[in-house]
Amino acid sequence: MPGWLQAGGWGLLAGSALMVGAAVGYLARVPQKIIASVMAFGAGVLLSAVAFELIAEAHEQAGLTPTALGAVAGAVIYTGCNVLLARRGARHRKRSGEQQPSEDEQGGSGLALALGALLDGIPESIVIGTSLLGGGAISVVTVAAVFISNVPEGLSSAAGMRHAGRSKAYVFGLWTGIAVISGLAAVAGFTLLGGAPAAVLAAITALAGGAILAMIADTMIPEAFENAHLLIGLITVAGFLVAFALSQAG
């Protein structure tokens, strides 16, 4: 099977978890504490993946300087885009309660929410594609981490969209589109970066890591701790250790 097709398939698989989470979040009435728990677990998984898969791999490829520059660039780009989208109504796109504005309350917020979801998903998918470069095997840990974390992201965001009065067609159309774009982003990561030097690949991997870390802090952790109970910290550590165990097994 061609490498680009493998990359697209793995990216689509990881992105499909968003639809699974969205279906649960929109169609079921999940208690807030359950949503907080699954978001905390997903945040722990992604934190581990960033530390042991993305940043560590980038450092191994090219050293500290490209890794640090890439991570800072990723955080700056994500934060800048996030600020712009927040002004258009996407500030609380991962929140499950009534924080998200409806279209009547803030015109254009639906488009901003869609762009925000896209912003959150692209860095993860590009990394999935680049992990296949050079004939290497797919990073099962990265795919698993993205898949596991996408379920609570889709769940929480779709629940918030339901509270904001957005239609079923909008919610499921959005997350289906994001899943498809995740596959295409993985293909782009594989095809466009095939001849890139190690330092460039390391910087891009670290850039994705910095963007994901900024996303965790800005969108996932606030939702996890909005309705925190005494086990939230333990659940976050559990997610971290699950991803770490997968990385060691691989």
Side-chain angles (χ1 to χ4, degrees):
M1 183 184 295
W4 66 268
L5 189 57
Q6 292 184 53
W10 286 113
L12 182 61
L13 174 64
S16 67
L18 291 166
M19 295 187 292
V20 174
V24 176
Y26 192 88
L27 300 176
R29 296 299 189 266
V30 183
Q32 291 292 321
K33 287 189 176 181
I34 298 297
I35 295 176
S37 296
V38 294
M39 191 64 92
F41 187 86
V45 167
L46 275 183
L47 285 169
S48 181
V50 169
F52 297 110
E53 289 294 307
L54 304 184
I55 299 300
E57 180 181 340
H59 183 267
E60 184 177 340
Q61 284 180 318
L64 179 60
T65 300
T67 300
L69 291 175
V72 171
V76 168
I77 292 170
Y78 177 90
T79 301
C81 293
N82 198 45
V83 167
L84 294 176
L85 290 171
R87 292 173 179 171
R88 300 292 297 174
R91 178 72 183 92
H92 300 295
R93 60 184 176 275
K94 290 255 189 325
R95 307 306 294 273
S96 61
E98 299 181 359
Q99 298 93 336
Q100 292 185 26
S102 66
E103 198 67 27
D104 291 337
E105 293 171 330
Q106 185 164 359
S109 59
L111 176 60
L113 286 168
L115 293 174
L118 191 62
L119 173 67
D120 296 338
I122 283 182
E124 304 165 344
S125 302
I126 291 176
V127 168
I128 289 174
T130 58
S131 69
L132 283 166
L133 292 175
I138 188 70
S139 172
V140 176
V141 179
T142 301
V143 174
V146 173
F147 187 95
I148 292 170
S149 65
N150 275 346
V151 172
E153 288 184 45
L155 189 159
S156 181
S157 186
M161 291 175 183
R162 185 191 67 225
H163 282 297
R166 303 195 185 278
S167 69
K168 186 184 299 184
Y170 172 86
V171 172
F172 289 103
L174 169 63
W175 292 116
T176 300
I178 297 301
V180 172
I181 291 173
S182 295
L184 295 175
V187 171
F190 181 86
T191 56
L192 299 180
L193 300 173
V200 173
L201 284 176
I204 291 172
T205 300
L207 185 147
I212 293 170
L213 189 57
M215 183 271 290
I216 294 169
D218 190 79
T219 65
M220 294 184 74
I221 290 177
E223 174 64 20
F225 287 91
E226 174 72 16
N227 296 288
H229 49 79
L230 295 178
L231 298 180
I232 284 291
L234 181 61
I235 293 170
T236 303
V237 173
F240 184 93
L241 291 176
V242 166
F244 178 70
L246 287 174
S247 69
Q248 297 305 299

